């Protein structure tokens, strides 16, 4: 039996975890065909099929699953051994891959990226912004950013920023025409601009006051996954829009939108950086965590 190549073993592990050649390829920044060829080489070298492939799915065979279970810790040890040399450099080097929600990429990370990269010139930061909750390891990321209610219980979580706030708003002309809502249920009789996540789910507007939580799914003239379209429609008086306060801030400051139901929008806990527990943490990730903690200590 030919000795398998370490890179091919690593490629197999990535595909087996992601259950997809395309998903693994995106996480690693390579083509699906290169991963497919690597797995074929490995299967030829070992003389056994490791993955069952169909047009809809990729799943490990029994042999593939057993190999993955033994291989994953070994590959982590190899990565840790190679990364250990970082401690002998003046600053760490390598790539840090983060998977984050779109709102975090737009409102939170801009304050971190520049200062972090200037302080760590040897690190390349690779950020994927998406609203689908993913397995960070399967997606090829070192860590993810999500809000508390979406965190896996076996993950280590580090606060990334302070509290945030959700806000509803409408244009001055809209409020003059329809009146100012006094209770969230008033929105059920008003046109609203609704947001659709990439998963296909349409956001439910949620409000809270004095322990009372109100969730509503109003009707309206526009459903969109584009914040820019939603804001423009609201500014033109087509309906009430609800989103993160930071998204609406420029329109509110310019007078194009007016906040409503403000006493129904209390602050909530901000996002967390989360990552799996490992015996060895990659130096770029450790540097980012240290940077976050230092920034929060200064705040």
């Amino acid at each position: 039996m030919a000795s398998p190549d370490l890179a091919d073993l690593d490629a197999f592990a990535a595909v087996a975890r992601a259950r997809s050649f395309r998903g693994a390829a995106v996480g690693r920044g390579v083509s699906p065909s290169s991963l497919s060829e690597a797995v074929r080489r490995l299967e030829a070298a070992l003389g056994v099929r490791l993955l069952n492939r169909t047009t809809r799915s990729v799943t490990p065979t029994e042999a593939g699953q057993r190999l993955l279970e033994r291989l994953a810790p070994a590959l982590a040890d190899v990565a840790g051994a190679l990364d250990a040399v970082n401690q002998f450099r003046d600053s760490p080097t390598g790539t840090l891959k983060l998977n984050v929600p779109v709102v975090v990429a737009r409102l939170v990370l801009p304050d971190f990226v520049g200062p972090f990269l200037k302080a760590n010139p040897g690190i390349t930061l690779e950020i994927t912004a998406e609203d689908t909750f993913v397995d960070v390891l399967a997606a090829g990321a070192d860590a993810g950013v999500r809000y508390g209610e979406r965190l896996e219980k076996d993950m280590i979580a580090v606060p990334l920023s302070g509290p945030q706030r959700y806000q509803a708003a409408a244009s001055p002309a809209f409020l003059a025409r329809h009146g100012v809502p006094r209770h969230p249920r008033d929105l059920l009789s008003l046109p609203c601009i609704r947001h659709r996540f990439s998963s296909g789910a349409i956001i439910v507007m949620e409000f809270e006051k004095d322990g009372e939580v109100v969730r509503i799914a109003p009707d309206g003239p526009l459903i969109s996954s584009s914040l820019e379209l939603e804001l423009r429609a609201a500014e033109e008086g087509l309906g009430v829009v609800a989103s993160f306060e930071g998204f609406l801030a420029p329109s509110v400051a310019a007078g194009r939108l007016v906040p409503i139901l403000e006493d129904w929008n209390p602050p909530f806990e901000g996002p967390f950086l989360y990552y799996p527990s490992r015996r060895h943490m990659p130096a770029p990730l450790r540097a980012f965590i240290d940077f976050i903690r230092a920034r929060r200590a200064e705040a």
Side-chain angles (χ1 to χ4, degrees):
M1 180 180 68
S3 178
D5 185 84
L6 181 61
D8 291 347
L9 288 167
D10 189 40
F12 157 73
V15 174
R17 284 195 297 259
R19 301 296 177 98
S20 165
F21 283 96
R22 184 175 300 278
V26 170
R28 298 167 70 84
V30 299
S31 67
S33 60
S34 67
L35 293 181
S36 180
E37 180 58 33
V39 172
R40 279 198 293 268
R41 285 195 302 267
L42 181 60
E43 289 177 329
L46 298 177
V48 63
R49 177 176 287 276
L50 299 173
L51 297 174
N52 289 318
R53 309 160 177 84
T54 70
T55 56
R56 294 186 176 183
S57 66
V58 176
T59 57
T61 63
E62 183 179 358
Q65 185 60 39
R66 290 192 180 186
L67 176 61
L68 180 63
E69 291 170 358
R70 300 290 296 273
L71 190 60
L75 289 174
D77 285 343
V78 170
L82 294 175
D83 189 62
V85 300
N86 265 326
Q87 63 180 303
F88 297 101
R89 299 189 176 101
D90 292 335
S91 63
T93 64
T95 298
L96 173 60
K97 297 183 178 181
L98 301 178
N99 185 286
V100 310
V102 173
V103 63
V104 171
R106 298 184 68 168
L107 296 181
V108 178
L109 286 184
D111 290 336
F112 288 85
V113 171
F116 173 71
L117 292 178
K118 289 177 181 178
N120 297 274
I123 292 178
T124 297
L125 191 58
E126 185 176 321
I127 298 172
T128 299
E130 58 182 350
D131 288 323
T132 303
F133 189 71
V134 299
D135 180 332
V136 291
L137 291 180
D142 298 297
V145 175
R146 289 296 182 270
Y147 289 86
E149 69 273 13
R150 301 301 303 274
L151 290 176
E152 296 290 342
K153 300 303 181 185
D154 59 345
M155 292 287 180
I156 298 174
V158 178
L160 185 61
S161 73
Q164 292 181 298
R165 190 167 176 260
Y166 217 61
Q167 189 174 69
S171 72
F174 179 93
L175 296 175
R177 188 166 63 251
H178 293 279
V180 179
R182 302 301 179 187
H183 191 281
R185 293 191 184 91
D186 294 343
L187 299 181
L188 293 172
S189 61
L190 296 176
C192 293
I193 310 300
R194 294 174 291 170
H195 182 78
R196 185 192 297 276
F197 290 115
S198 56
S199 65
I202 297 176
I203 193 170
V204 174
M205 294 185 181
E206 182 174 308
F207 301 87
E208 181 180 351
K209 180 181 178 182
D210 299 330
E212 180 186 0
V213 178
V214 178
R215 298 181 180 89
I216 61 172
D219 293 322
L222 176 66
I223 300 172
S224 172
S225 59
S226 167
L227 176 68
E228 287 73 21
L229 288 177
E230 295 163 36
L231 286 177
R232 182 65 178 270
E235 290 172 355
E236 293 180 354
L238 294 177
V240 174
V241 66
S243 188
F244 282 84
E245 185 177 41
F247 280 153
L248 306 187
S251 298
V252 170
R256 296 188 298 270
L257 291 177
V258 177
I260 60 174
L261 300 169
E262 290 197 87
D263 55 343
W264 282 89
N265 292 288
F268 56 85
E269 199 171 41
F272 291 82
L273 178 81
Y274 73 102
Y275 55 95
S277 177
R278 296 172 173 170
R279 284 177 294 175
H280 179 85
M281 183 186 297
L285 177 56
R286 182 176 296 281
F288 190 61
I289 292 170
D290 291 343
F291 178 82
I292 290 171
R293 287 175 171 159
R295 286 287 294 267
R296 285 186 60 80
E298 295 170 359

